[in-house]
Amino acid sequence: MDRRQDAGPLRLRLRLRIHAGFQWLLAPDGDPALAPDVVNCSWGDENSLSTEFQQDLRALRAAGIFVVFANGNSGPRPGTVISPASLPEAFAVGATDSGDRVAYFSSRGPSPWGEVRPHVVAPGVGVRSALPGGIYGTMSGTSMATPHVAGLVALLRAVSPTLDITRTAFFITSTAVPLSTTIPNNDSGWGRIDAFAAVSALMNAGIVRGTVFRSGDGAPISGATVSATFHGDGTGGSATTDASGRYTLPLAPGPYDLTARAFGYAPATRYGVVITTGVVVTADFALTALSTGTLRVSVADGATGAPVTATVAVLGTPLTATASLATFSLPAGDYTVRARAVGYYVVTATASVVAGGTTALTLTLPPAPSILLVDSGAWYYGSQIPYYRQALDDLALAYDEWTVRQIPDDVPTADTLAPYDIVVWSAPYDAPGYIGAQNAITTYLSSGGRLFLSGQDVGFLDVGMPYYWKYLKARLVEDSSNIWTVEGLPDTPFAGLTMTIAGPGGANNQAYPDVVAPYDPDAASASRSGLHHL
């Protein structure tokens, strides 16, 4: 039977099974007492107008069951929310990435009924997920974000089993972290969920707040950590002070030991601070500065001896400076100092600081090519940039990074590339010309720039681009080699080297590695067989 002819009956059977599933949830095994508090639904129909399951959701809502739905992965265009997330009875969830930005694929509102969608967003990019066969992997989607919200509902119901659906939604939305100046909105709803804040609000927790300041002159200490340890089981929470040295920490009722810590100061503890529901307790801390010495770091060019402006970091501390002469006030002790400047190798050295004394340290940086590392995989969450960072870091090479998070806003221009001797461009599943960087790369290469370009489909996507055949001297042979090893050819820098691009030790992200060859044999030659990177 033709699949298209069979699609209707298959969809009908699927819908009937979902209806039956919702019915079963109302009384598992015929017992309403076994009905769940919350149901996670990481599925939907691209037809946002569908009301197929509206009556089911109304029945679950009447039974006090909170139903959470994925908003869909058809963004970023408005009005792309899927059904049943689009229905008034559903609680819809969008996805955010590791930078707390709404994922580009996350479907947007409004719903066909003019309602805000999603209600909230949650982490949905690069989430560790269960896969078929009892294994785990990394996946992205609003289907990964939705279980975070379902878990939060379960936490709230665990604290208050009689919490109704309306108040549950209120605690989630009212404590969410806004991701926009307009709240709510059809990108992120009321914001990214904050489980700790939601549960604290429900518990009407007590609050401890105060100021951490320097003993003697009362100067505020920013970036200090105040941690709470509950008597008996060691659990609690922590908060970080703002620029004015202030902190606020919600805690469940009970006695706590509070400890304030900051670099360069001796910690201070207040024992037996009692937290009471709905009461604000003040706990200030005066920290005593440790005895310090001065560390002066000079950075010089290894070839000319001239001063070099570099980023100087005292490792293991929060202290950094960008200068050719950096001065740090440090508690007495031994430190590792690192200087990093593009166009030079990274250099580290150790220094001993004596209380009341001054230690001078000169870091001489050997010249190196200036390098820009372009991460073109970020805009579709396929980044493989850690491999390149590791290679450059292992070589002690300093480099700048350019991340392409949005197209076309973040596409590098010719001016972006021009200052660098070498551009290392990672395009796991896309290509420079494909995202609109053809002119930028052509200008860069015609001016003498050097490009290291890697990706499985660069040849397939950019085969007709002038930079590809004219400057890189490459041509596409076929779309997929079905080869996942790379071997260095004799009489090349890679002679005797065998690498794998699949499994342990490889990026393991190649499905259709291109087969490429020199376009002009008089100007270019292959250095590796099984070549898929260019």
Side-chain angles (χ1 to χ4, degrees):
M1 179 180 293
D2 186 89
R3 283 187 184 177
R4 290 169 295 180
Q5 295 176 354
D6 193 41
L10 283 175
R11 289 178 63 85
L12 175 60
R13 288 198 294 271
L14 178 59
R15 292 199 299 269
L16 291 174
R17 289 175 181 176
I18 294 174
H19 284 303
F22 279 136
Q23 183 67 33
W24 181 85
L25 287 169
L26 292 169
D29 295 332
D31 185 356
L34 298 178
D37 290 314
V38 59
V39 175
N40 180 88
C41 296
S42 290
W43 56 272
D45 187 333
E46 293 294 332
N47 178 14
S48 60
L49 283 165
S50 173
T51 57
E52 173 76 27
F53 301 104
Q54 188 168 34
Q55 294 304 319
D56 300 272
L57 299 193
R58 288 176 177 174
L60 266 65
R61 187 179 181 90
I65 300 173
F66 198 103
V67 185
V68 186
F69 270 93
N71 208 54
N73 303 321
S74 301
R77 291 180 297 104
T80 48
V81 57
I82 63 176
S83 179
S86 60
L87 297 174
E89 294 79 10
F91 191 86
V93 182
T96 55
D97 61 20
S98 58
D100 232 7
R101 297 175 293 267
V102 179
Y104 80 89
F105 59 75
S106 186
S107 289
R108 269 63 166 181
S111 77
W113 296 275
E115 295 183 328
V116 169
R117 289 294 184 275
H119 292 88
V120 292
V121 289
V125 174
V127 177
R128 184 169 171 81
S129 307
L131 301 178
I135 60 175
Y136 292 90
T138 299
M139 298 187 69
S140 299
T142 55
S143 291
M144 282 68 243
T146 307
H148 287 84
V149 179
L152 175 52
V153 174
L155 281 174
L156 294 170
R157 287 285 178 89
V159 173
S160 178
T162 59
L163 189 67
D164 63 29
I165 290 175
T166 301
R167 283 181 55 78
T168 300
F170 170 77
F171 281 114
I172 295 173
T173 56
S174 64
T175 59
V177 178
L179 301 185
S180 170
T181 55
T182 302
I183 303 298
N185 61 79
N186 284 303
D187 294 325
S188 58
W190 274 261
R192 193 254 304 140
I193 63 167
D194 186 332
F196 183 78
V199 174
S200 296
L202 173 61
M203 294 175 63
N204 193 21
I207 301 291
V208 58
R209 63 169 51 132
T211 303
V212 180
F213 56 88
R214 187 165 58 206
S215 179
D217 62 5
I221 301 174
S222 64
T225 299
V226 179
S227 56
T229 302
F230 188 78
H231 282 205
D233 64 6
T235 60
S238 63
T240 302
T241 58
D242 61 17
S244 300
R246 294 189 294 264
Y247 74 93
T248 299
L249 180 60
L251 294 168
Y256 292 85
D257 297 334
L258 305 178
T259 300
R261 295 181 175 86
F263 176 76
Y265 296 86
T269 300
R270 295 186 59 166
Y271 296 96
V273 177
V274 177
I275 304 300
T276 305
T277 298
V279 176
V280 177
V281 176
T282 299
D284 297 330
F285 293 88
L287 301 187
T288 301
L290 299 173
S291 298
T292 62
T294 300
L295 174 63
R296 290 180 179 167
V297 182
S298 301
V299 186
D301 187 303
T304 66
V308 173
T309 299
T311 299
V312 182
V314 183
L315 303 185
T317 81
L319 302 181
T320 62
T322 301
S324 59
L325 176 60
T327 301
F328 302 100
S329 179
L330 294 162
D334 297 329
Y335 296 91
T336 299
V337 184
R338 181 183 64 202
R340 187 178 188 277
V342 173
Y344 295 90
Y345 286 94
V346 179
V347 171
T348 60
T350 58
S352 296
V353 175
V354 179
T358 299
T359 300
L361 177 66
T362 298
L363 296 180
T364 302
L365 307 186
S370 57
I371 300 172
L372 176 66
L373 181 55
V374 178
D375 180 9
S376 187
W379 68 273
Y380 46 88
Y381 307 114
S383 175
Q384 298 295 327
I385 214 65
Y387 293 99
Y388 299 89
R389 288 195 192 116
Q390 180 181 342
L392 294 172
D393 291 342
D394 288 347
L395 293 170
L397 284 166
Y399 53 92
D400 285 336
E401 288 193 38
W402 186 275
T403 304
V404 183
R405 290 194 175 92
Q406 292 186 344
I407 303 295
D409 299 356
D410 297 332
V411 175
T413 65
D415 289 340
T416 305
L417 308 181
Y420 299 92
D421 298 320
I422 299 173
V423 172
V424 179
W425 191 303
S426 171
Y429 302 115
D430 65 333
Y434 178 77
I435 65 171
Q438 147 70 19
N439 291 337
I441 286 188
T442 299
T443 301
Y444 174 71
L445 293 175
S446 65
S447 301
R450 288 171 286 178
L451 175 68
F452 181 91
L453 175 58
S454 176
Q456 78 159 8
D457 285 326
V458 173
F460 177 74
L461 295 172
D462 280 1
V463 62
M465 299 284 179
Y467 87 88
Y468 190 74
W469 57 267
K470 182 177 181 180
Y471 289 92
L472 300 185
K473 311 296 183 183
R475 66 181 177 87
L476 178 69
V477 177
E478 59 180 300
D479 179 33
S480 181
S481 66
N482 293 313
I483 297 173
W484 285 268
T485 58
V486 178
E487 297 180 1
L489 294 177
D491 301 322
T492 73
F494 301 100
L497 182 64
T498 299
M499 295 172 285
T500 178
I501 61 172
N508 201 27
N509 68 319
Q510 307 290 301
Y512 305 102
D514 288 344
V515 180
V516 300
Y519 173 78
D520 181 356
D522 294 331
S525 62
S527 58
R528 294 174 288 177
S529 63
L531 184 64
H532 73 294
H533 292 317
L534 182 62

